[in-house]
Amino acid sequence: QVQLQQSGPGLVEPSQTLSLTCAISGESVATNRAGWNWIRQSPSRGLEWLGRTYYSSKWNYDYAPSVKSRLTISPDTSGNRFSLQMNSVTPEDTAVYYCTRGFLSFGFDSWGQGTLVTVSS
Amino acid sequence: QSALTQPPSASGSPGQSVTISCTGTSSDIGTYNSVSWYQQHPGKVPKLMISEVSKRPSGVPDRFSGSKSGNTASLTVSGLQPEDEADYYCSSYAGNNNLVFGGGTKLTVL
């Protein structure tokens, strides 16, 4: 059974960078049987898929158009984890952020516990 | 505004059946058999209930079923039970390595 454990700050100042990490247990981040995604949820925007990384002969990255210019998702094979970095945040980026396992076509079958990130000074 | 349209609320009495719709376009639901449904109880993490339109992951009761017609997908919960009261979200692959969600439906068991 795959388990995902999130870590990172709950408060970020406007214009700064939001950084979160998701530690994976029960599967390798470099598996070709899963992708590793970030999703956020807020009352105003609902659930929003942000992006993913997955390994298939090489590392691949896909980002939602709405955040593509500000988002970087990175795998860490030595630590078996992956991370999210979103720069130039605004209060509109305030949300609960989730890391998930799965493919876009098949759904997300494992979720991290969620991290409430508030963007405020 | 979410890319997929769901009714804000739905309800039914215990034992009854209820169907929740999820309407997209020919660019997402209409083209791809990649609709998923998630159940989320208050303060909890979403749980995958249906994948690929109608497939139930292991452990999901067979009271939950999914279908699709044209640009609209549906989730049917048969034999409603009190624990089915939750928010339900649909998602669909939207091409170009992108995914969209619905705005969610609050299911009330009367």
Side-chain angles (χ1 to χ4, degrees), chain A residues 29-49:
Chain A
V29 69
T31 181
N32 60 6
R33 295 195 304 270
W36 307 100
N37 307 260
W38 287 96
I39 290 170
R40 67 183 177 183
Q41 184 174 29
S42 66
S44 60
R45 302 170 74 101
L47 283 167
E48 181 181 14
W49 176 79

Side-chain angles (χ1 to χ4, degrees), chain B:
Chain B
Q1 183 176 357
S2 299
L4 304 178
T5 300
Q6 298 181 235
S9 62
S11 63
S13 300
Q16 290 186 332
S17 293
V18 63
T19 296
I20 299 171
S21 63
C22 172
T23 302
T25 69
S26 57
S27 298
D28 38 65
I29 293 177
T31 295
Y32 303 101
N33 289 322
S34 301
V35 176
S36 297
W37 288 91
Y38 300 87
Q39 176 192 65
Q40 186 178 33
H41 289 107
K44 301 297 186 182
V45 173
K47 175 186 176 183
L48 180 64
M49 304 299 284
I50 296 287
S51 68
E52 298 179 80
V53 176
S54 60
K55 295 183 179 180
R56 275 188 314 276
S58 174
V60 173
D62 60 7
R63 303 183 292 102
F64 291 86
S65 62
S67 62
K68 187 187 90 166
S69 177
N71 297 338
T72 299
S74 299
L75 172 71
T76 298
V77 186
S78 306
L80 270 175
Q81 298 188 2
E83 59 265 33
D84 298 333
E85 184 162 297
D87 293 328
Y88 291 84
Y89 295 90
C90 60
S91 71
S92 174
Y93 181 66
N96 295 319
N97 295 314
N98 192 24
L99 184 91
V100 291
F101 280 97
T105 298
K106 181 177 179 59
L107 175 60
T108 300
V109 181
L110 302 171

Side-chain angles (χ1 to χ4, degrees), chain A residues 2 16 31 44 48 55 58 62-63 67 86 90 93 103:
Chain A
V2 176
Q16 297 302 302
T31 181
S44 60
E48 181 181 14
Y55 187 79
K58 65 178 178 70
D62 296 301
Y63 300 106
V67 295
M86 180 182 291
T90 71
D93 295 311
F103 285 113

Side-chain angles (χ1 to χ4, degrees), chain A residues 10-78:
Chain A
L11 180 64
V12 182
E13 292 189 355
S15 80
Q16 297 302 302
T17 298
L18 185 165
S19 298
L20 297 172
T21 298
C22 183
I24 304 165
S25 58
E27 193 164 30
S28 168
V29 69
T31 181
N32 60 6
R33 295 195 304 270
W36 307 100
N37 307 260
W38 287 96
I39 290 170
R40 67 183 177 183
Q41 184 174 29
S42 66
S44 60
R45 302 170 74 101
L47 283 167
E48 181 181 14
W49 176 79
L50 298 176
R52 67 170 177 176
T53 185
Y54 64 96
Y55 187 79
S56 179
S57 301
K58 65 178 178 70
W59 285 103
N60 297 272
Y61 308 90
D62 296 301
Y63 300 106
S66 60
V67 295
K68 187 173 185 177
S69 63
R70 301 191 293 131
L71 185 63
T72 301
I73 295 176
S74 305
D76 175 2
T77 55
S78 61

